[in-house]
Amino acid sequence: MLVNDDVHVLSAAVSGIVAVPDSPGFTEETFAFNVATVHRPDVVLGAADAQDVVAGVKWAAEHRLPVSVQSTGHGANSAVDGGLLITTRRLQELQIDPIARTARVGAGVKWRSVLEASVPHGLIGLHGSSTDVGVVGYTLGGGLPVLGRAHGFAADHVRGMEVVTADGVLRRIDADTEADLFALMCGGKGNFGIVTALEFNLFPLADFYGGGIIYPGADAVGVLAAFREWLPTLPDEASPSISLLRLPDMEFVPPPLRDQFVVHLRFAFPGNREEGDALLAPMRAVSTPMMDTAGPMDYLDVDQVHMDPVDPLPYTEGGVLLKDLGEEAVADLLKLAGEGSGCPLVMVEIRPLGGALATGRALPDAVSGRDAAFLLFLVGLDTPPVAEASIASIRAILTAMVPYSTGYTLVNFHGAPGDEADRARAWSPAVYERMRAAKASYDPGNLLRFGHAITGVPSQ
Ligand SMILES: Cc1cc2nc3c(=O)[nH]c(=O)nc-3n(C[C@H](O)[C@H](O)[C@H](O)COP(=O)(O)OP(=O)(O)OC[C@H]3O[C@@H](n4cnc5c(N)ncnc54)[C@H](O)[C@@H]3O)c2cc1C
């Protein structure tokens, strides 16, 4: 049982903010982008620097309190209940080395800030569909980028990191120093420590062709059939994806699309207008697009490719990796999510994988799912009156996809973690076993046990 004196000891040891439930600043400090998730830790520490993270972890270990970490709350799929929550959003260090083509960021930096600093040098990082997401949480979860088929997962391109492990030690790790831990951190999520800074590769980009085409939902059968035929014609550099969107009548949705069922094709390609137009031509001839925004794009507008919401929302999600996307799989999916299905989900997304995502990096890491051909990702609003229907629909679609799935998912697209067997779905069995063994040595007290945490192998 924590008493005031315990909390004062922590406050005295750090330069950041310390708050307990009902004290000033607690609600703001624990707030998550996913507003359906309301964290109730015993104490929240708004770390001002890496030393605060060290002090917080040591303090929590002394008081036998579990530790969780949050940057933006985009990945807040489950609420933190009790323990110490360390927030990292004040860790805003950001350095770009245009010669070495690398970036170094503090744990609170979002992808938008990286791009704003790197794009003027003709360089980009491997961010995902929304640049409002935190670099560190995204990358530790593998990080499936907008240009993933061209370059691979973000975790494949991490050069080094600084991490506070459960023993309260701040370590600098890379492929040469503590290589095993480094490999497991690159894709293993927050299981082995709290990262305070991350260094990773940037990529040169001359031309960028991107955007989307929106079709009436009534044409979903034809559009998805055309999408399947079109995919094998694309080079690896092209990264398309497609979504069935049931857009709510809410402010974040552009007015013509509010309260509509539509199909949204997204397209990202490092090339010029001529090349992009030629690749996209077959999909432009399908149906009658309601909107077509694809073309040469200033890379700082890259969020327009996926058009993810920018304001905090209540949501629930789930995902699975597919071996293939055959006719039968599409038909089964449309039965549950197509026109007239009554599907309550705001987004049913299919992201083709392959290309550099399948190849991986020369060094081992913990990214799984390289054998999959597609990621199916489902998002529903987690707010009355649709919350229960959203959860039921995600479950029904995941069940219907079992015959087509690899049985696994990517941790960044897993949704709320369930029991141990469910958590294990986020990694391949070989990686999961490596992680379990490492968890037992790096976090024997299971200090880091929130979210997508795994359980270590019990000691003999
Ligand atoms: C709109 C939207 C778009 C997205 N698009 C993509 C996409 O295209 N590709 C993709 O791969 N993912 C995508 N995601 C998922 C996203 O990458 C994960 O939710 C990720 O965890 C978000 O990281 P965060 O730090 O912003 O979130 P947070 O909720 O702050 O953190 C989530 C988790 O990351 C871990 N974590 C965060 N910081 C640290 C740290 N310093 N040390 C150790 N662990 C830490 C912890 O486990 C934490 O619980 C998207 C999510 C949203 C909401």
Side-chain angles (χ1 to χ4, degrees):
M1 166 92 182
L2 272 186
V3 294
N4 278 348
D5 281 355
D6 298 324
V7 178
H8 289 149
V9 168
L10 177 62
S11 299
V14 298
S15 45
I17 287 166
V18 174
V20 294
D22 305 324
S23 72
F26 182 85
T27 306
E28 294 74 15
E29 202 56 47
T30 54
F31 181 82
F33 181 87
N34 183 353
V35 298
T37 299
V38 178
H39 297 307
R40 282 297 277 190
D42 294 319
V43 183
V44 62
L45 161 61
D49 53 31
Q51 286 313 318
D52 277 4
V53 178
V54 170
V57 170
K58 281 187 176 160
W59 178 85
E62 275 160 26
H63 292 83
R64 296 180 174 276
L65 287 176
V67 179
S68 51
V69 56
Q70 176 166 284
S71 166
T72 69
H74 277 80
N77 302 116
S78 54
V80 169
D81 185 14
L84 174 69
L85 170 64
I86 299 180
T87 62
T88 59
R89 66 169 186 270
R90 292 174 189 79
L91 305 188
Q92 286 296 327
E93 175 190 359
L94 171 55
Q95 291 171 34
I96 303 292
D97 184 335
I99 310 294
R101 293 180 177 164
T102 58
R104 176 183 160 92
V105 299
V109 171
K110 294 182 181 187
W111 274 113
R112 171 127 298 265
S113 307
V114 175
L115 291 185
E116 281 169 358
S118 70
V119 167
H121 298 286
L123 297 169
I124 63 160
L126 295 183
H127 59 86
S129 58
S130 164
T131 61
D132 195 42
V133 167
V135 176
V136 168
Y138 161 91
T139 306
L140 297 182
L144 176 60
V146 169
L147 284 172
R149 280 161 46 94
H151 299 295
F153 286 95
D156 296 340
H157 299 284
V158 174
R159 299 173 70 94
M161 62 181 84
E162 280 152 30
V163 55
V164 179
T165 39
D167 53 4
V169 175
L170 176 61
R171 300 159 194 257
R172 147 98 216 170
I173 60 172
D174 56 30
D176 299 319
T177 314
E178 305 212 42
D180 291 347
L181 178 61
F182 177 66
L184 290 172
M185 291 293 302
C186 294
K189 207 71 186 177
N191 267 295
F192 304 103
I194 298 185
V195 171
T196 55
L198 191 76
E199 293 162 19
F200 54 93
N201 291 329
L202 299 172
F203 294 83
L205 185 90
D207 295 314
F208 181 63
Y209 184 102
I213 301 180
I214 292 184
Y215 309 92
D219 293 346
V221 173
V223 174
L224 280 174
F227 181 71
R228 287 184 47 238
E229 279 179 27
W230 176 60
L231 286 179
T233 70
L234 294 177
D236 282 353
E237 291 73 34
S239 293
S241 64
I242 200 159
S243 278
L244 304 174
L245 300 180
R246 280 180 176 79
L247 298 164
D249 188 1
M250 289 172 83
E251 215 158 304
F252 76 89
V253 179
L257 301 177
R258 283 184 196 163
D259 216 10
Q260 300 265 343
F261 171 48
V262 299
V263 183
H264 183 198
L265 172 74
R266 299 75 166 263
F267 189 64
F269 174 67
N272 62 26
R273 179 189 291 278
E274 209 186 339
E275 295 162 323
D277 279 348
L279 290 172
L280 205 49
M283 290 307 289
R284 284 199 159 120
V286 177
S287 167
T288 310
M290 297 164 69
M291 199 184 268
D292 183 344
T293 63
M297 184 181 268
D298 181 334
Y299 202 81
L300 288 174
D301 292 330
V302 67
D303 282 340
Q304 293 310 311
V305 174
H306 280 256
M307 299 200 308
D308 282 346
V310 288
D311 293 321
L313 277 176
Y315 52 90
T316 178
E317 46 191 34
V320 70
L321 291 165
L322 303 180
K323 289 180 273 198
D324 202 354
L325 189 68
E327 244 174 80
E328 230 180 295
V330 172
D332 284 354
L333 183 63
L334 287 175
K335 252 184 242 158
L336 292 172
E339 216 195 5
S341 64
C343 177
L345 301 181
V346 285
M347 185 172 85
V348 173
E349 177 182 67
I350 298 164
R351 291 204 203 183
L353 305 177
L357 293 166
T359 330
R361 68 195 257 155
L363 299 163
D365 62 20
V367 175
S368 299
R370 298 197 194 273
D371 53 339
F374 294 90
L375 169 76
L376 176 69
F377 183 51
L378 312 166
V379 183
L381 287 179
D382 191 0
T383 185
V386 292
E388 277 182 30
S390 297
I391 293 164
S393 174
I394 289 175
R395 219 173 278 141
I397 294 175
L398 293 181
T399 304
M401 289 296 111
V402 165
Y404 317 110
S405 101
T406 64
Y408 297 95
T409 187
L410 299 176
V411 64
N412 277 357
F413 297 88
H414 188 181
D419 58 16
E420 198 175 335
D422 183 53
R423 284 156 207 251
R425 287 197 313 120
W427 292 280
S428 70
V431 169
Y432 187 68
E433 280 317 308
R434 265 168 58 216
M435 286 175 62
R436 269 174 40 92
K439 182 86 176 166
S441 58
Y442 283 106
D443 185 14
N446 206 15
L447 205 66
L448 303 158
R449 60 174 177 261
F450 288 112
H452 292 93
I454 63 164
T455 315
V457 181
S459 48
Q460 302 298 313

